[in-house]
Amino acid sequence: MPVSPPAPDRSTSPAAAREPLWRDLIGDVLRRERLAQERTLKDVADAARISMPYLSEVERGRKEASSEVLAAAAHALGLGLGDLLSLAQSELTRTRATGTSPYNGLCLAA
């Protein structure tokens, strides 16, 4: 039986410090947009027809949401899926340009 090679260790890779995870970028954009609209997590989750705990996990970058879930959350915030992706791309470009990324691979557990 063939043995799979070990997964790369992102914590020691130089690229890990520079390249954020897509789920972190998307989650930050969703949270930022929700807070800018002064809306609660429950309000947006209800409008998107997804559970509040799941939306919370998406916002915190803990879940890889499907395109359907992302579209529903975006629409609940008055955005299209393209708008959400564009905002995430802008965030990625900004963090690359400044060289200061809050996405350093840290994971805090409660």
Side-chain angles (χ1 to χ4, degrees):
M1 176 178 276
V3 176
S4 299
D9 183 4
R10 290 183 46 83
S11 64
T12 59
S13 167
R18 292 189 309 264
E19 295 292 338
L21 295 175
W22 186 244
R23 66 178 185 244
D24 290 329
L25 288 169
I26 292 292
D28 284 348
V29 169
L30 288 172
R31 177 170 281 166
R32 189 170 47 249
E33 288 297 314
R34 179 177 60 78
L35 294 175
Q37 294 178 20
E38 298 181 353
R39 293 176 66 188
T40 65
L41 195 61
K42 180 177 180 359
D43 175 45
V44 175
D46 287 348
R49 300 186 66 173
I50 56 179
S51 76
M52 188 174 65
Y54 189 76
L55 179 58
S56 175
E57 297 254 318
V58 170
E59 282 190 357
R60 290 182 290 142
R62 304 278 306 257
K63 296 289 183 188
E64 293 274 0
S66 69
S67 59
E68 291 88 357
V69 168
L70 294 178
H75 288 134
L77 292 166
L79 302 170
L81 184 56
D83 299 323
L84 177 63
L85 300 179
S86 178
L87 289 167
Q89 189 271 336
S90 295
E91 176 70 12
L92 178 60
T93 302
R94 186 185 62 76
T95 59
R96 279 185 168 173
T98 62
T100 57
S101 175
Y103 313 104
N104 61 3
L106 288 177
C107 178
L108 302 177

XYZ file of all heavy atoms in Angstrom:
821
model
N 0.850 -1.175 0.000
C 0.000 0.000 0.000
C 0.895 1.237 0.000
O 1.755 1.375 0.860
C -0.897 -0.041 1.234
C -1.747 1.189 1.387
S -2.841 1.098 2.807
C -4.180 0.200 2.099
N 0.714 2.172 -0.947
C 1.557 3.361 -0.991
C 1.277 4.277 0.198
O 0.155 4.381 0.669
C 1.174 4.039 -2.305
C -0.100 3.427 -2.728
C -0.234 2.118 -2.037
N 2.314 4.922 0.645
C 2.206 5.843 1.768
C 2.199 7.261 1.220
O 3.054 7.620 0.406
C 3.391 5.647 2.740
C 3.337 6.652 3.861
C 3.408 4.233 3.276
N 1.243 8.047 1.665
C 1.164 9.443 1.231
C 2.260 10.242 1.897
O 2.594 10.011 3.065
C -0.189 10.044 1.604
O -1.223 9.340 0.975
N 2.827 11.215 1.177
C 3.834 12.068 1.813
C 3.174 12.924 2.881
O 1.977 13.219 2.799
C 4.357 12.924 0.661
C 3.289 12.889 -0.372
C 2.576 11.587 -0.202
N 3.925 13.314 3.893
C 3.337 14.141 4.949
C 2.910 15.500 4.386
O 3.508 16.005 3.443
C 4.462 14.290 5.968
C 5.710 13.978 5.227
C 5.329 13.058 4.112
N 1.874 16.050 4.986
C 1.411 17.377 4.573
C 2.468 18.405 4.935
O 3.161 18.258 5.940
C 0.099 17.700 5.273
N 2.617 19.437 4.104
C 3.609 20.466 4.424
C 3.254 21.167 5.723
O 2.078 21.387 6.016
C 3.536 21.432 3.240
C 2.299 21.100 2.497
C 1.889 19.716 2.880
N 4.253 21.484 6.496
C 4.067 22.168 7.769
C 3.994 23.664 7.501
O 5.001 24.319 7.311
C 5.223 21.835 8.719
C 5.049 22.469 10.088
O 4.001 23.111 10.331
O 5.968 22.332 10.908
N 2.781 24.230 7.512
C 2.577 25.641 7.211
C 3.206 26.547 8.257
O 3.540 27.685 7.977
C 1.092 25.961 7.090
C 0.452 25.362 5.866
C -1.007 25.759 5.746
N -1.281 27.156 5.974
C -1.159 28.129 5.053
N -0.778 27.840 3.838
N -1.442 29.382 5.349
N 3.366 26.055 9.474
C 3.874 26.908 10.543
C 5.345 27.268 10.356
O 5.802 28.258 10.887
C 3.663 26.243 11.899
O 4.424 25.056 11.966
N 6.104 26.458 9.623
C 7.517 26.746 9.446
C 7.842 27.243 8.054
O 8.954 27.645 7.781
C 8.369 25.491 9.726
O 7.958 24.450 8.830
C 8.204 25.042 11.161
N 6.884 27.224 7.166
C 7.096 27.666 5.802
C 7.156 29.185 5.746
O 6.311 29.865 6.313
C 5.961 27.161 4.906
O 5.987 27.806 3.667
N 8.158 29.762 5.037
C 8.220 31.221 4.917
C 6.975 31.786 4.246
O 6.543 32.872 4.558
C 9.460 31.480 4.052
C 10.215 30.209 4.005
C 9.275 29.116 4.365
N 6.387 31.038 3.318
C 5.193 31.522 2.627
C 3.991 31.573 3.563
O 3.064 32.332 3.333
C 4.887 30.632 1.429
N 4.005 30.780 4.636
C 2.869 30.747 5.548
C 2.655 32.100 6.208
O 1.522 32.495 6.464
C 3.068 29.671 6.613
N 3.728 32.817 6.480
C 3.608 34.117 7.117
C 3.086 35.167 6.139
O 2.499 36.149 6.544
C 4.955 34.545 7.675
N 3.288 34.962 4.850
C 2.885 35.948 3.845
C 1.516 35.663 3.251
O 0.835 36.575 2.843
C 3.916 35.979 2.715
C 5.252 36.530 3.141
C 6.157 36.732 1.948
N 6.272 35.558 1.101
C 7.229 34.652 1.160
N 8.172 34.769 2.043
N 7.248 33.634 0.336
N 1.152 34.425 3.138
C -0.082 34.060 2.448
C -1.167 33.665 3.446
O -1.089 32.626 4.077
C 0.163 32.889 1.487
C 1.095 33.218 0.348
C 0.497 34.208 -0.645
O -0.740 34.342 -0.724
O 1.280 34.853 -1.340
N -2.192 34.505 3.582
C -3.281 34.141 4.490
C -4.156 33.052 3.894
O -4.158 32.833 2.684
C -4.070 35.444 4.621
C -3.792 36.171 3.356
C -2.382 35.796 2.959
N -4.892 32.396 4.730
C -5.866 31.426 4.263
C -7.067 32.176 3.709
O -7.483 33.205 4.246
C -6.309 30.511 5.402
C -5.233 29.597 5.978
C -5.777 28.841 7.184
C -4.725 28.639 4.921
N -7.645 31.654 2.638
C -8.799 32.282 2.002
C -9.954 32.419 2.994
O -10.631 33.439 3.037
C -9.203 31.451 0.786
C -10.286 32.065 -0.029
C -11.522 31.552 -0.233
C -10.242 33.289 -0.747
N -12.245 32.392 -1.041
C -11.491 33.466 -1.369
C -9.263 34.271 -0.917
C -11.787 34.579 -2.148
C -9.565 35.379 -1.695
C -10.806 35.520 -2.296
N -10.154 31.394 3.830
C -11.263 31.450 4.781
C -11.072 32.575 5.797
O -12.052 33.157 6.267
C -11.461 30.106 5.469
C -10.316 29.689 6.357
C -10.629 28.355 7.035
N -9.588 28.021 7.966
C -8.790 26.967 7.840
N -8.947 26.130 6.847
N -7.857 26.742 8.731
N -9.828 32.910 6.141
C -9.579 34.031 7.049
C -9.934 35.360 6.386
O -10.556 36.227 6.999
C -8.117 34.059 7.496
C -7.760 32.916 8.431
O -8.646 32.466 9.184
O -6.601 32.476 8.401
N -9.520 35.509 5.135
C -9.830 36.739 4.397
C -11.334 36.934 4.264
O -11.866 38.012 4.541
C -9.204 36.705 3.002
C -7.696 36.868 2.919
C -7.212 36.533 1.518
C -7.294 38.265 3.299
N -12.026 35.908 3.816
C -13.468 35.983 3.614
C -14.184 36.254 4.939
O -15.080 37.104 5.012
C -14.010 34.680 2.980
C -13.508 34.541 1.543
C -15.528 34.609 3.045
C -14.072 35.555 0.579
N -13.780 35.568 5.975
C -14.393 35.774 7.283
C -14.220 37.194 7.784
O -15.165 37.802 8.305
N -13.024 37.738 7.603
C -12.777 39.110 8.035
C -13.621 40.101 7.252
O -14.156 41.060 7.814
C -11.297 39.465 7.894
C -10.441 38.852 8.985
O -10.995 38.336 9.978
O -9.205 38.896 8.840
N -13.759 39.876 5.960
C -14.576 40.769 5.134
C -16.036 40.700 5.575
O -16.692 41.741 5.744
C -14.433 40.439 3.631
C -15.467 41.174 2.800
C -13.025 40.776 3.146
N -16.554 39.502 5.780
C -17.936 39.366 6.220
C -18.167 40.069 7.559
O -19.149 40.807 7.728
C -18.333 37.891 6.327
C -18.512 37.145 5.016
C -18.701 35.655 5.266
C -19.691 37.713 4.225
N -17.273 39.848 8.492
C -17.422 40.477 9.811
C -17.323 41.994 9.712
O -18.124 42.723 10.303
C -16.384 39.949 10.790
C -16.478 40.653 12.164
C -15.635 39.990 13.189
N -16.390 38.820 13.624
C -15.873 37.827 14.323
N -14.610 37.840 14.659
N -16.616 36.820 14.701
N -16.352 42.482 8.955
C -16.171 43.926 8.804
C -17.420 44.571 8.190
O -17.894 45.609 8.646
C -14.925 44.213 7.971
C -14.538 45.663 7.943
C -13.176 45.932 7.315
N -12.962 45.253 6.051
C -12.098 44.260 5.867
N -11.376 43.814 6.873
N -11.964 43.716 4.681
N -17.965 43.926 7.154
C -19.174 44.463 6.511
C -20.365 44.433 7.464
O -21.147 45.380 7.517
C -19.491 43.666 5.241
C -18.521 43.939 4.119
C -18.541 45.381 3.644
O -19.643 45.946 3.444
O -17.452 45.955 3.480
N -20.506 43.347 8.217
C -21.613 43.235 9.168
C -21.521 44.312 10.231
O -22.515 44.989 10.543
C -21.619 41.842 9.816
C -22.730 41.655 10.839
C -22.753 40.263 11.410
N -21.541 39.862 12.090
C -21.203 40.242 13.330
N -21.976 41.047 14.021
N -20.077 39.796 13.870
N -20.332 44.504 10.786
C -20.149 45.513 11.828
C -20.311 46.927 11.280
O -20.851 47.803 11.968
C -18.787 45.338 12.496
C -18.617 44.044 13.303
C -17.192 43.916 13.813
C -19.635 43.961 14.421
N -19.875 47.166 10.047
C -20.040 48.481 9.428
C -21.516 48.827 9.271
O -21.897 50.001 9.333
C -19.337 48.524 8.080
N -22.336 47.811 9.085
C -23.783 48.013 8.962
C -24.485 47.989 10.315
O -25.703 48.114 10.388
C -24.381 46.928 8.055
C -23.919 47.013 6.624
C -24.489 45.900 5.762
O -25.496 45.279 6.103
N -23.844 45.660 4.633
N -23.694 47.810 11.386
C -24.204 47.741 12.749
C -25.303 46.679 12.892
O -26.342 46.898 13.514
C -24.693 49.114 13.219
C -23.589 50.143 13.251
C -24.055 51.510 13.733
O -25.277 51.710 13.928
O -23.183 52.373 13.903
N -25.031 45.518 12.298
C -25.982 44.412 12.358
C -25.429 43.312 13.245
O -24.221 43.139 13.365
C -26.246 43.885 10.954
C -26.990 44.936 10.116
C -27.201 44.524 8.719
N -28.112 43.382 8.631
C -28.318 42.738 7.480
N -27.708 43.095 6.377
N -29.151 41.724 7.447
N -26.330 42.580 13.841
C -25.922 41.484 14.708
C -25.673 40.225 13.886
O -26.161 40.084 12.760
C -27.000 41.166 15.762
O -28.171 40.683 15.086
C -27.334 42.386 16.610
N -24.938 39.333 14.489
C -24.684 38.041 13.867
C -26.008 37.317 13.616
O -26.219 36.744 12.551
C -23.773 37.221 14.790
C -23.097 36.001 14.239
C -22.175 36.348 13.084
C -22.308 35.313 15.336
N -26.901 37.385 14.578
C -28.211 36.727 14.447
C -29.003 37.314 13.284
O -29.600 36.570 12.498
C -29.000 36.837 15.743
C -30.367 36.159 15.657
C -31.088 36.212 16.978
C -32.444 35.572 16.995
N -32.984 34.997 15.824
N -29.008 38.614 13.155
C -29.746 39.270 12.077
C -29.258 38.805 10.711
O -30.052 38.432 9.845
C -29.602 40.791 12.213
C -30.236 41.548 11.066
O -31.373 41.205 10.668
O -29.602 42.486 10.556
N -27.949 38.802 10.510
C -27.385 38.407 9.215
C -27.591 36.914 8.976
O -27.949 36.499 7.868
C -25.894 38.799 9.111
C -25.280 38.277 7.827
C -25.744 40.313 9.198
N -27.396 36.106 10.004
C -27.597 34.660 9.857
C -29.046 34.354 9.489
O -29.305 33.530 8.602
C -27.206 33.938 11.140
N -29.978 35.020 10.134
C -31.394 34.817 9.819
C -31.698 35.229 8.378
O -32.392 34.508 7.653
C -32.294 35.595 10.783
C -32.348 34.993 12.182
O -31.875 33.847 12.364
O -32.839 35.683 13.092
N -31.174 36.381 7.971
C -31.409 36.861 6.605
C -30.792 35.925 5.572
O -31.336 35.733 4.484
C -30.859 38.274 6.446
N -29.652 35.334 5.916
C -28.959 34.416 4.999
C -29.519 32.999 5.078
O -29.154 32.149 4.262
C -27.465 34.391 5.314
N -30.350 32.742 6.078
C -30.925 31.409 6.315
C -29.845 30.362 6.589
O -29.877 29.257 6.069
C -31.825 31.003 5.167
C -32.987 31.993 4.985
C -33.950 31.557 3.979
N -34.585 30.328 4.501
C -35.590 29.725 3.937
N -36.110 30.209 2.845
N -36.097 28.627 4.449
N -28.862 30.777 7.391
C -27.837 29.859 7.886
C -27.794 30.007 9.404
O -28.271 31.003 9.946
C -26.443 30.120 7.253
C -25.982 31.548 7.472
C -26.457 29.805 5.777
C -24.616 31.852 6.890
N -27.255 29.021 10.080
C -27.255 29.087 11.542
C -26.270 30.145 12.035
O -25.224 30.390 11.429
C -26.916 27.725 12.153
O -25.538 27.455 12.040
N -26.637 30.753 13.146
C -25.778 31.775 13.734
C -24.416 31.192 14.147
O -23.383 31.810 13.866
C -26.482 32.422 14.927
C -25.730 33.618 15.472
S -26.620 34.494 16.777
C -26.659 33.274 18.067
N -24.371 30.010 14.780
C -23.045 29.457 15.120
C -22.175 29.197 13.881
O -20.971 29.424 13.914
C -23.374 28.150 15.847
C -24.752 28.348 16.381
C -25.453 29.208 15.362
N -22.805 28.757 12.795
C -22.022 28.493 11.580
C -21.483 29.789 10.994
O -20.310 29.869 10.609
C -22.849 27.734 10.541
C -22.007 27.252 9.376
C -21.178 26.158 9.518
C -22.022 27.926 8.161
C -20.384 25.718 8.466
C -21.232 27.493 7.108
C -20.421 26.392 7.267
O -19.624 25.976 6.227
N -22.308 30.826 10.936
C -21.834 32.115 10.420
C -20.702 32.648 11.293
O -19.723 33.184 10.793
C -22.979 33.127 10.338
C -22.592 34.514 9.824
C -21.972 34.440 8.432
C -23.795 35.445 9.826
N -20.821 32.473 12.584
C -19.755 32.895 13.497
C -18.444 32.170 13.172
O -17.379 32.791 13.126
C -20.159 32.620 14.946
O -19.097 32.909 15.826
N -18.536 30.881 12.932
C -17.340 30.094 12.595
C -16.747 30.554 11.259
O -15.527 30.609 11.106
C -17.684 28.608 12.549
C -18.141 28.056 13.877
C -17.107 27.189 14.543
O -16.469 26.392 13.839
O -16.953 27.319 15.760
N -17.609 30.875 10.303
C -17.129 31.374 9.005
C -16.412 32.700 9.210
O -15.314 32.914 8.689
C -18.290 31.512 7.996
C -17.845 32.261 6.739
C -18.842 30.140 7.632
N -17.010 33.606 9.967
C -16.390 34.908 10.219
C -15.038 34.779 10.913
O -14.146 35.582 10.683
C -17.312 35.785 11.071
C -18.441 36.418 10.319
C -19.175 37.464 11.151
O -18.837 37.662 12.341
O -20.103 38.084 10.603
N -14.899 33.795 11.751
C -13.633 33.599 12.472
C -12.622 32.785 11.689
O -11.520 32.520 12.170
C -13.897 32.936 13.830
C -14.604 33.876 14.801
C -14.825 33.249 16.150
N -15.838 32.204 16.053
C -15.787 31.053 16.725
N -14.801 30.782 17.529
N -16.746 30.182 16.579
N -12.991 32.391 10.469
C -12.065 31.618 9.642
C -11.914 30.183 10.088
O -10.941 29.514 9.746
N -12.884 29.678 10.822
C -12.810 28.304 11.324
C -13.459 27.297 10.396
O -13.262 26.103 10.531
C -13.491 28.217 12.700
C -12.963 29.171 13.763
C -11.718 28.693 14.459
N -11.838 27.387 15.022
C -12.025 27.113 16.288
N -12.142 28.078 17.159
N -12.093 25.864 16.694
N -14.293 27.782 9.470
C -14.991 26.898 8.528
C -14.733 27.345 7.098
O -14.673 28.529 6.808
C -16.508 26.917 8.767
C -16.948 26.379 10.094
C -16.780 24.890 10.161
C -17.310 24.356 11.487
N -17.023 22.980 11.682
N -14.598 26.363 6.221
C -14.507 26.599 4.777
C -15.935 26.536 4.246
O -16.477 25.454 4.036
C -13.664 25.506 4.103
C -12.207 25.533 4.482
C -11.391 26.483 3.630
O -11.944 27.135 2.721
O -10.187 26.586 3.898
N -16.536 27.692 4.049
C -17.939 27.737 3.622
C -18.052 27.467 2.132
O -17.166 27.813 1.347
C -18.527 29.103 3.949
N -19.176 26.866 1.744
C -19.448 26.619 0.330
C -19.770 27.945 -0.362
O -20.076 28.944 0.288
C -20.635 25.670 0.184
O -21.825 26.324 0.600
N -19.724 27.927 -1.673
C -20.062 29.133 -2.427
C -21.514 29.530 -2.175
O -21.834 30.724 -2.159
C -19.788 28.934 -3.913
O -20.546 27.852 -4.418
N -22.393 28.564 -1.967
C -23.791 28.883 -1.674
C -23.928 29.630 -0.350
O -24.683 30.591 -0.247
C -24.654 27.613 -1.635
C -24.835 26.947 -2.980
C -23.725 25.941 -3.321
O -22.775 25.781 -2.542
O -23.839 25.327 -4.387
N -23.209 29.188 0.666
C -23.260 29.843 1.971
C -22.656 31.236 1.876
O -23.206 32.204 2.410
C -22.545 28.995 3.053
C -22.337 29.795 4.334
C -23.337 27.732 3.333
N -21.532 31.354 1.183
C -20.902 32.670 1.030
C -21.804 33.627 0.272
O -21.928 34.800 0.634
C -19.551 32.544 0.326
C -18.465 31.800 1.101
C -17.201 31.707 0.271
C -18.198 32.464 2.438
N -22.449 33.144 -0.771
C -23.377 33.987 -1.538
C -24.549 34.419 -0.664
O -24.968 35.585 -0.707
C -23.866 33.245 -2.777
N -25.086 33.504 0.139
C -26.209 33.844 1.012
C -25.796 34.895 2.046
O -26.534 35.860 2.293
C -26.730 32.589 1.713
N -24.627 34.732 2.638
C -24.146 35.704 3.626
C -23.895 37.052 2.961
O -24.251 38.100 3.512
C -22.880 35.186 4.306
N -23.296 37.029 1.786
C -23.042 38.278 1.050
C -24.353 38.982 0.727
O -24.497 40.186 0.970
C -22.247 37.990 -0.223
N -25.324 38.233 0.211
C -26.610 38.833 -0.143
C -27.325 39.390 1.087
O -27.990 40.425 1.002
C -27.496 37.831 -0.878
C -27.020 37.555 -2.261
N -26.918 36.280 -2.773
C -26.594 38.373 -3.247
C -26.451 36.338 -4.003
N -26.243 37.598 -4.313
N -27.192 38.719 2.215
C -27.796 39.214 3.450
C -27.190 40.555 3.862
O -27.832 41.352 4.547
C -27.617 38.195 4.576
N -25.969 40.802 3.412
C -25.289 42.072 3.704
C -25.443 43.084 2.566
O -24.831 44.149 2.594
C -23.800 41.808 3.960
C -23.502 41.040 5.243
C -22.066 40.531 5.245
C -23.770 41.915 6.462
N -26.237 42.724 1.565
C -26.442 43.634 0.441
C -25.324 43.613 -0.575
O -25.164 44.552 -1.354
N -24.539 42.538 -0.561
C -23.419 42.380 -1.491
C -23.697 41.218 -2.432
O -24.410 40.290 -2.069
C -22.118 42.074 -0.730
C -21.647 43.067 0.315
C -20.490 42.469 1.108
C -21.223 44.364 -0.348
N -23.094 41.259 -3.585
C -23.084 40.098 -4.452
C -21.875 39.240 -4.112
O -20.959 39.696 -3.413
N -21.858 38.037 -4.611
C -20.713 37.163 -4.367
C -19.451 37.788 -4.966
O -18.378 37.739 -4.366
C -20.964 35.768 -4.947
C -19.896 34.715 -4.681
C -19.627 34.561 -3.184
C -20.304 33.387 -5.283
N -19.583 38.407 -6.126
C -18.439 39.087 -6.747
C -17.900 40.211 -5.882
O -16.685 40.419 -5.802
N -18.800 40.941 -5.222
C -18.371 42.016 -4.319
C -17.558 41.448 -3.160
O -16.525 42.003 -2.778
C -19.584 42.765 -3.750
C -20.426 43.433 -4.812
O -19.864 43.951 -5.794
O -21.672 43.422 -4.645
N -18.041 40.351 -2.601
C -17.347 39.710 -1.485
C -15.947 39.265 -1.906
O -14.962 39.509 -1.208
C -18.157 38.514 -0.976
C -17.535 37.698 0.151
C -17.365 38.536 1.410
C -18.383 36.467 0.431
N -15.865 38.636 -3.056
C -14.568 38.162 -3.548
C -13.645 39.330 -3.867
O -12.438 39.274 -3.602
C -14.767 37.275 -4.775
C -15.616 36.017 -4.539
C -15.771 35.233 -5.826
C -15.038 35.157 -3.445
N -14.195 40.392 -4.415
C -13.391 41.576 -4.728
C -12.837 42.216 -3.455
O -11.668 42.619 -3.413
C -14.239 42.587 -5.500
O -13.503 43.743 -5.782
N -13.659 42.313 -2.418
C -13.199 42.866 -1.149
C -12.110 41.994 -0.525
O -11.131 42.505 0.029
C -14.372 43.031 -0.182
C -15.366 44.139 -0.537
C -16.636 44.004 0.302
C -14.733 45.507 -0.345
N -12.273 40.688 -0.625
C -11.250 39.776 -0.101
C -9.952 39.912 -0.890
O -8.859 39.919 -0.309
C -11.748 38.338 -0.128
N -10.066 40.060 -2.200
C -8.879 40.230 -3.047
C -8.184 41.544 -2.704
O -6.963 41.613 -2.631
C -9.278 40.176 -4.527
C -8.098 40.131 -5.478
C -7.599 41.507 -5.888
O -8.326 42.485 -5.845
N -6.355 41.578 -6.275
N -8.963 42.590 -2.457
C -8.378 43.886 -2.076
C -7.637 43.776 -0.755
O -6.557 44.350 -0.588
C -9.467 44.950 -1.972
O -10.052 45.186 -3.220
N -8.214 43.035 0.175
C -7.561 42.819 1.472
C -6.244 42.067 1.291
O -5.232 42.410 1.888
C -8.498 42.051 2.401
C -7.903 41.682 3.740
C -7.689 42.871 4.651
O -8.194 43.968 4.359
O -6.985 42.697 5.658
N -6.254 41.064 0.441
C -5.041 40.299 0.172
C -3.977 41.195 -0.465
O -2.811 41.174 -0.065
C -5.348 39.111 -0.739
C -4.172 38.233 -1.151
C -3.492 37.626 0.066
C -4.643 37.147 -2.091
N -4.379 42.006 -1.413
C -3.448 42.923 -2.077
C -2.880 43.922 -1.078
O -1.688 44.211 -1.089
C -4.151 43.660 -3.228
O -4.649 42.688 -4.149
C -3.223 44.599 -3.946
N -3.740 44.438 -0.211
C -3.296 45.411 0.790
C -2.284 44.796 1.748
O -1.253 45.399 2.046
C -4.493 45.949 1.574
C -4.130 47.080 2.536
C -5.318 47.506 3.378
N -5.810 46.441 4.234
C -5.213 46.052 5.365
N -4.078 46.591 5.745
N -5.732 45.090 6.098
N -2.541 43.597 2.222
C -1.617 42.973 3.168
C -0.289 42.633 2.499
O 0.760 42.699 3.133
C -2.211 41.710 3.816
O -2.541 40.767 2.813
C -3.439 42.039 4.630
N -0.343 42.286 1.229
C 0.905 42.019 0.502
C 1.701 43.299 0.293
O 2.918 43.308 0.421
C 0.616 41.394 -0.852
C 0.343 39.931 -0.798
C 0.204 39.413 -2.195
N 0.218 37.970 -2.209
C -0.019 37.264 -3.280
N -0.277 37.864 -4.415
N 0.012 35.958 -3.225
N 1.023 44.393 -0.045
C 1.701 45.660 -0.332
C 2.364 46.241 0.907
O 3.461 46.789 0.843
C 0.714 46.663 -0.922
N 1.689 46.124 2.054
C 2.239 46.695 3.273
C 3.217 45.749 3.960
O 4.005 46.175 4.793
C 1.115 47.055 4.273
O 0.425 45.861 4.635
C 0.158 48.063 3.680
N 3.123 44.479 3.624
C 4.003 43.495 4.262
C 3.603 43.188 5.694
O 4.320 42.526 6.413
N 2.459 43.705 6.106
C 1.976 43.448 7.459
C 0.677 42.684 7.368
O -0.344 43.218 7.009
C 1.728 44.762 8.233
O 0.799 45.548 7.483
C 3.018 45.544 8.419
N 0.747 41.436 7.667
C -0.437 40.596 7.591
C -0.844 40.137 8.969
O -0.020 39.628 9.722
C -0.159 39.371 6.713
O -1.266 38.508 6.734
N -2.123 40.342 9.323
C -2.592 39.809 10.606
C -2.789 38.304 10.561
O -3.081 37.685 11.558
C -3.931 40.531 10.815
C -4.415 40.809 9.433
C -3.170 41.045 8.607
N -2.604 37.721 9.376
C -2.848 36.294 9.179
C -1.524 35.554 9.276
O -0.866 35.306 8.295
C -3.491 36.048 7.811
C -4.630 36.977 7.546
C -4.489 38.053 6.689
C -5.863 36.780 8.153
C -5.537 38.911 6.446
C -6.918 37.637 7.911
C -6.742 38.692 7.066
O -7.783 39.544 6.820
N -1.128 35.227 10.486
C 0.174 34.600 10.654
C 0.090 33.145 11.055
O 1.057 32.576 11.508
C 1.010 35.380 11.677
C 0.361 35.404 13.037
O -0.680 34.805 13.242
N 0.977 36.102 13.969
N -1.069 32.552 10.892
C -1.200 31.123 11.178
C -1.510 30.810 12.623
O -1.592 29.657 12.998
N -1.692 31.836 13.463
C -2.032 31.567 14.858
C -3.454 31.086 14.959
O -4.339 31.553 14.257
C -1.896 32.848 15.685
C -0.486 33.327 15.949
C -0.538 34.644 16.722
C 0.304 32.311 16.731
N -3.662 30.168 15.830
C -5.011 29.642 16.058
C -5.224 29.604 17.559
O -4.513 28.902 18.281
C -5.165 28.248 15.467
S -6.797 27.553 15.769
N -6.162 30.400 18.036
C -6.447 30.431 19.467
C -7.657 29.565 19.734
O -8.651 29.620 19.032
C -6.714 31.874 19.913
C -5.586 32.860 19.634
C -6.019 34.256 20.064
C -4.325 32.448 20.364
N -7.572 28.788 20.767
C -8.695 27.932 21.147
C -9.258 28.410 22.467
O -8.520 28.829 23.357
C -8.231 26.492 21.264
N -10.556 28.350 22.574
C -11.201 28.780 23.835
C -11.201 27.648 24.825
O -11.196 26.501 24.528
C -12.622 29.224 23.546
